[in-house]
Amino acid sequence: MITVLKFGGTSVGSAEAIARSAKIIANGEGGRVAVVSAMSGVTNHLIQFLETDGASADDALSILIKKHTDAAAALLDGKLLKEFTKEFNERVDRLRELLNSGNAGDAYFRDNISSQGERFSSLLLSYVLMSMGRESIALTSEEAGIYATGPPGLGTADLQRTSAGLMMNVRPLIMRNVIPVITGFYGRDGDGRPITFGRGGSDYSAAVVANGLDADCLEIWTDVDGFMSADPRIVPGAIMIDEMNFGEAAELAYLGAKVLHPRTIEPVRTKHIPLKVRNSFKPEHQGTLIHHLRSPKNEMLRSVAMKADLSIITVSSAEIAYRPKMVAGIIDKIADAGVIVYAISTSLSTVALLIHNLDVKETLRHLNLLDPADIERIDVKSNMALICAVGDDLLRKCGVSAEIFGAVRDAGANVELISEGASDVSLNFVVPTDKAISVVRSLHTKFVGE
């Protein structure tokens, strides 16, 4: 049995947190593989260096060095502390050379720098495991064989090549009862350059490792108990969801729930690898189990999430529905802008797209490159929020939409845009931001409870 365990920045953010996470790893049964984020705050500090003119390498390294050496002094002693310090200092020297040699404007250099924190947290966690009597080794993504394709900052794992690399470099260690501790957040491209998977991408890294090793389970250890029926900051009576299927978890992660990185689901779903979300600060809690099976419960609604700070951009053109190349051109311009579209709706003469407020300016710049003769006008409606109502096989249940929108009416909100039918497990719609919390509470009260 092989279990892949991922620990986020807060789960390795201090000496106490690292000790707790190491204990979780060491006390488990079967083969264990850990995937780790950087210590909390380290990646942001490195990115700040990249964005600050005239910043020195020593300034960039100061927080990184202090956080790791303080934790090491509290957790290690004797020979292990000496060995860790030697290897740590060697890595610091290499990073200092890198910081002094690159161009902050180069996207590959930026990915290289922003992925450095994981190289130090994995080293420290590995030594702490050794202090507990477990044999362990720290591996970078390059050493483990995690390959990525795509542009810097938006990489995607090459699952086939990664599987071959992991089977060759990592699986033999597991078979010898060694615990590999692997850097999350990035892979290497064909030229050996680090390509990051986007902020929060260590969850995805862990899923990629689980996929490549044909693991029996993936555990995401974080600082929350699991998926909830709603954000407890909005709905104090929100309850834990014990289990859910991959489709439900994917929709919630993509459209608002800050429990998993949205891309985590697909690598494990393709191989039916169960995923558990657990709280490293409350290891006695079982968390949420996510799998490919349908829920034994027959709840109409499992959870309600919301994503605020959105805008609807509406492009109007005469009989646009009969001009497929025109629609394709609009989508191409959005793609050129590198903008994520959260929902899309069309009518005879309009295409409406839901994007983040921060992307409006860039989106308009690209849309204005369209032939003016083809466009009647472009409108922007800001201060919108996307509501995601999730339930197993939700849209196959007769009358569910009417009941959901009845609750929206009770909250005094108008629906500005609807996305229905794209997924069997969710109904997504847009309401004004100032009504969004009332809508979430109304839906939760009606379908889940106070």
Side-chain angles (χ1 to χ4, degrees):
M1 177 175 176
I2 296 177
T3 301
V4 176
L5 306 95
K6 182 266 176 178
F7 294 88
T10 55
S11 297
V12 292
S14 66
E16 295 79 12
I18 292 170
R20 190 182 302 112
S21 296
K23 185 176 180 181
I24 290 169
I25 299 168
N27 289 347
E29 298 179 354
R32 318 283 279 175
V33 181
V35 176
V36 296
S37 300
M39 291 183 78
S40 52
V42 168
T43 301
N44 286 340
H45 191 64
L46 292 170
I47 291 174
Q48 185 179 1
F49 164 82
L50 293 169
E51 296 175 348
T52 304
D53 293 335
S56 71
D58 287 336
D59 289 339
L61 290 170
S62 59
I63 287 181
L64 182 151
I65 292 173
K66 180 172 175 52
K67 287 180 74 73
H68 290 85
T69 55
D70 285 354
L75 297 169
L76 304 173
D77 57 22
K79 181 181 178 182
L80 282 178
L81 178 58
K82 184 177 180 180
E83 291 176 353
F84 166 80
T85 301
K86 179 177 182 295
E87 194 168 351
F88 176 82
N89 288 338
E90 290 171 353
R91 295 192 181 203
V92 168
D93 289 341
R94 290 196 295 268
L95 177 53
R96 182 180 287 107
E97 291 179 8
L98 181 63
L99 290 168
N100 287 324
S101 66
N103 172 15
D106 177 72
Y108 289 100
F109 177 74
R110 293 177 67 87
D111 266 19
N112 196 347
I113 297 303
S114 62
S115 63
Q116 289 292 319
E118 282 74 10
R119 303 166 193 263
F120 293 92
S121 60
S122 57
L123 180 68
L124 179 54
L125 180 58
S126 179
Y127 268 90
V128 173
L129 285 168
M130 286 188 275
S131 75
M132 294 179 172
R134 298 300 301 266
E135 191 173 353
S136 178
I137 184 171
L139 297 175
T140 64
S141 296
E142 295 91 338
E143 292 166 338
I146 300 173
Y147 289 87
T149 60
L154 292 171
T156 296
D158 181 334
L159 294 179
Q160 184 173 358
R161 195 173 182 186
T162 295
S163 180
L166 291 169
M167 287 297 186
M168 181 174 64
N169 301 321
V170 177
R171 192 175 183 89
L173 296 170
I174 302 170
M175 295 301 101
R176 300 203 309 267
N177 204 30
V178 176
I179 302 175
V181 183
I182 303 174
T183 55
F185 186 44
Y186 78 99
R188 55 159 292 182
D189 70 2
D191 296 321
R193 297 174 297 190
I195 302 288
T196 63
F197 298 130
R199 294 307 299 267
S202 291
D203 287 351
Y204 175 65
S205 294
V208 167
V209 170
N211 175 290
L213 291 172
D214 291 325
D216 297 280
C217 184
L218 169 63
E219 296 180 359
I220 302 292
W221 289 87
T222 181
D223 54 3
V224 298
D225 292 342
F227 277 94
M228 306 285 289
S229 58
D231 186 336
R233 294 170 298 180
I234 295 174
V235 181
I239 60 175
M240 266 285 301
I241 300 175
D242 295 330
E243 62 177 305
M244 60 200 314
N245 63 43
F246 287 125
E248 293 172 318
E251 291 293 332
L252 287 172
Y254 178 59
L255 293 171
K258 297 177 181 179
V259 178
L260 281 178
H261 190 284
R263 302 178 69 191
T264 309
I265 298 297
E266 198 55 33
V268 291
R269 172 161 49 187
T270 58
K271 291 191 174 181
H272 291 179
I273 299 170
L275 187 161
K276 295 179 181 178
V277 179
R278 301 183 65 181
N279 191 337
S280 64
F281 296 88
K282 301 176 184 177
E284 68 278 5
H285 288 200
Q286 291 303 306
T288 300
L289 170 64
I290 303 165
H291 49 61
H292 69 284
L293 301 174
R294 294 182 57 184
S295 171
K297 301 178 182 178
N298 192 33
E299 302 145 316
M300 182 175 289
L301 209 63
R302 304 288 301 283
S303 184
V304 186
M306 62 172 276
K307 181 181 285 290
D309 300 320
L310 304 178
S311 295
I312 299 173
I313 291 187
T314 303
V315 181
S316 300
S317 180
E319 295 188 334
I320 197 171
Y322 293 100
R323 303 169 67 189
K325 289 187 177 180
M326 179 68 188
V327 176
I330 293 170
I331 300 300
D332 283 344
K333 293 303 180 187
I334 300 289
D336 290 343
V339 169
I340 295 174
V341 177
Y342 293 101
I344 184 169
S345 182
T346 62
S347 69
L348 177 64
S349 58
T350 63
V351 175
L353 307 116
L354 185 69
I355 64 174
H356 197 279
N357 289 341
L358 297 177
D359 292 326
V360 170
K361 184 176 180 180
E362 187 69 9
T363 299
L364 292 176
R365 187 175 74 83
H366 280 77
L367 289 176
N368 285 332
L369 298 175
L370 293 166
D371 188 342
D374 288 332
I375 304 296
E376 290 184 3
R377 69 178 190 275
I378 299 175
D379 299 309
V380 179
K381 188 179 291 187
S382 300
N383 298 317
M384 297 288 115
L386 180 64
I387 307 296
C388 177
V390 167
D392 185 25
D393 224 14
L394 181 71
L395 298 187
R396 296 182 186 275
K397 297 172 181 175
C398 183
V400 65
S401 296
E403 293 198 44
I404 287 174
F405 289 124
V408 176
R409 176 202 60 212
D410 294 343
N414 289 322
V415 175
E416 304 286 343
L417 188 148
I418 301 172
S419 176
E420 183 177 9
S423 167
D424 289 339
V425 301
S426 71
L427 172 60
N428 305 325
F429 55 92
V430 179
V431 300
T433 297
D434 61 357
K435 295 290 185 181
I437 291 178
S438 295
V439 169
V440 170
R441 289 173 175 168
S442 178
L443 287 167
H444 194 275
T445 297
K446 183 169 184 175
F447 295 105
V448 182
E450 296 292 342

